[in-house]
Amino acid sequence: YIQAGVSTGLNPAFGHYGLQIEWMPVIFFVLRARYDLFSYFGDFASLLSFSSADALFGKDEIDARSGDEETTTGHRFLIRPSLRAKLGPVYIQNQSDFAYYMFNGKGPYFYEQMYNTLLQDGDWVIANKTMLLFELWKGERDAVFLFGPYYELTHAVKADITRQRLGGIFVWVPEDFIFKVSRARVYSQFGFNLEDRNRKKEFYFLIAMGFDVDL
């Protein structure tokens, strides 16, 4: 298939508005290209400038900069190829991001929240994530529980900052709708920072929930 669409997102730190096109020429390969316009609200570490790519940008350093956030805009151009396969109860996926960022701020380096790194104006982020998930439970329709390991590498090209993570992922899609919405899903990622100038060998954990609304 080939499909195109628009999207928008909003959180206390920034809003974004996007255009995207997605192409799946064969069942195991998906290619997505998109453009996003970001509007930074000047709060919650939405966009912070740094004088050097060698600066620390861990939680303590970001918290200490509260009030320095900039109210401005930014742009992202993203190409995301994904390879995926299912072998019985085993799911394999490899996803790469090639993201080019431009910022209308002071700079010369900026803290980018989505990839959690410092970037120059006009910088590339190259990211890759490989997942090996096992189907531990399968219900009706799309209901499933998946669990398995993953490895992630993120590199900011001009800033020359690299992060490596190793950990686990689980994905749960329940049989019954949660709060009467369709295709509800719960996602969690956890693990260790193998290489990170701010968080050496530290454990991290995140959890998220999503759903679809059919119009």
Side-chain angles (χ1 to χ4, degrees):
Y1 67 80
I2 184 170
Q3 63 185 22
V6 297
S7 63
T8 184
L10 182 67
N11 62 55
F14 60 85
H16 66 93
Y17 319 91
L19 304 171
Q20 72 176 32
I21 185 169
E22 186 172 287
W23 177 43
M24 187 172 72
V26 290
I27 194 67
F28 57 83
F29 178 72
V30 178
L31 179 64
R32 175 179 294 181
R34 65 176 294 136
Y35 161 76
D36 289 287
L37 170 65
F38 291 91
S39 178
Y40 299 103
F41 301 147
D43 207 347
F44 297 100
S46 60
L47 191 67
L48 290 167
S49 288
F50 287 80
S51 60
S52 171
D54 296 325
L56 294 176
F57 51 94
K59 183 180 184 304
D60 291 341
E61 288 79 17
I62 295 299
D63 289 346
R65 295 284 307 278
S66 178
D68 293 341
E69 296 91 345
E70 300 175 48
T71 303
T72 185
T73 57
H75 309 268
R76 180 181 69 171
F77 299 89
L78 172 69
I79 298 175
R80 175 178 288 168
S82 298
L83 292 166
R84 58 191 184 183
K86 183 177 186 295
L87 306 172
V90 181
Y91 294 75
I92 304 170
Q93 179 170 319
N94 180 273
Q95 176 181 291
S96 297
D97 284 6
F98 303 91
Y100 181 76
Y101 278 85
M102 295 185 296
F103 301 99
N104 298 313
K106 298 175 183 177
Y109 294 91
F110 302 89
Y111 174 63
E112 203 289 311
Q113 289 184 320
M114 298 180 73
Y115 291 101
N116 188 28
T117 191
L118 297 185
L119 298 173
Q120 260 189 346
D121 180 23
D123 206 347
W124 283 92
V125 175
I126 300 174
N128 182 269
K129 180 187 288 186
T130 301
M131 296 176 285
L132 179 64
L133 301 178
F134 298 89
E135 188 180 275
L136 302 183
W137 169 79
K138 177 65 176 173
E140 298 295 329
R141 300 187 300 275
D142 297 328
V144 70
F145 185 86
L146 305 173
F147 179 80
Y150 85 98
Y151 168 76
E152 181 182 56
L153 173 69
T154 304
H155 180 68
V157 175
K158 289 185 178 179
D160 193 23
I161 299 173
T162 300
R163 183 182 67 244
Q164 296 186 72
R165 288 175 169 175
L166 180 66
I169 290 175
F170 78 74
V171 180
W172 175 45
V173 180
E175 281 189 344
D176 298 326
F177 294 157
I178 299 177
F179 305 126
K180 305 301 182 182
V181 299
S182 61
R183 293 179 291 279
R185 50 202 177 269
V186 179
Y187 169 88
S188 180
Q189 179 175 310
F190 55 90
F192 289 91
N193 292 281
L194 299 178
E195 181 182 2
D196 188 318
R197 71 166 63 161
N198 302 291
R199 306 171 186 86
K200 294 180 180 179
K201 308 299 182 182
E202 287 186 14
F203 179 83
Y204 72 92
F205 173 84
L206 65 87
I207 190 166
M209 177 181 173
F211 58 87
D212 296 337
V213 177
D214 297 324
L215 301 177

